[in-house]
Amino acid sequence: MLAPFSCRLFCWSFEHGVVPSSMKSANITPILKEAYLDSSDPKSYRPISNISVLSKLLEHLISKQLVTHLRKNDLFPDLQSAYLSNHLKETAVLKVLLDILLSLVSGKLALLSFLDLSAAFDSVDHDTLLQRLQTS
């Protein structure tokens, strides 16, 4: 039976605030970002990390406890969309659109700025990242 072992492992992890090192490894698969990109260029790929089932279960339990704590103590911002059930990214987009429309209707100026982090991983020096991951 795996359940009693998993339960003891997860309880120990919560009590000590430590994730066992064996649960910190992942199989990383490079996936081409877009079909039209040059497949011989490493910058055309994004890494997909596959973690073990036990790691995923622990991550889910931690997430549940964190969201419960944040809700119980009213620590989520009023317009929080991420990490909550029944809160879609489309809802957040509609809220922004409504705010812009209401500003324009009332004669105010509306300005919207976007920050694209989709290629943020590409700007990381991979040798430095690997070295830091190995030493930490």
Side-chain angles (χ1 to χ4, degrees):
M1 288 286 224
L2 190 59
F5 166 77
S6 301
C7 185
R8 272 187 261 126
L9 177 65
F10 295 155
C11 288
W12 179 90
S13 185
F14 281 123
E15 287 172 17
H16 293 89
V18 174
V19 175
S21 58
S22 61
M23 295 175 70
K24 293 181 183 180
S25 64
N27 292 324
I28 300 173
T29 306
I31 301 291
L32 195 61
K33 291 178 186 176
E34 299 287 341
Y36 61 84
L37 293 174
D38 179 11
S39 61
S40 64
D41 184 3
K43 291 182 179 181
S44 299
Y45 292 87
R46 62 185 167 96
I48 302 296
S49 299
N50 294 313
I51 60 175
S52 70
V53 172
L54 285 177
S55 298
K56 197 69 176 168
L57 284 171
L58 180 60
E59 180 182 290
H60 182 73
L61 290 172
I62 292 169
S63 175
K64 283 281 196 190
Q65 283 197 350
L66 182 59
V67 168
T68 300
H69 172 77
L70 293 172
R71 275 192 173 159
K72 188 170 124 181
N73 294 290
D74 198 27
L75 296 172
F76 272 126
D78 292 337
L79 300 174
Q80 176 75 30
S81 288
Y83 313 112
L84 295 174
S85 58
N86 304 320
H87 291 258
L88 306 173
K89 60 184 172 206
E90 290 83 1
T91 307
V93 171
L94 286 174
K95 171 65 174 129
V96 170
L97 182 60
L98 180 62
D99 287 347
I100 291 171
L101 290 173
L102 289 175
S103 292
L104 294 174
V105 166
S106 64
K108 297 178 183 174
L109 180 65
L111 178 67
L112 180 60
S113 174
F114 291 98
L115 177 62
D116 181 8
L117 298 175
S118 62
F121 188 77
D122 296 344
S123 63
V124 173
D125 182 278
H126 294 98
D127 292 330
T128 303
L129 176 63
L130 288 171
Q131 183 181 18
R132 289 200 179 175
L133 287 171
Q134 288 173 346
T135 58
S136 64

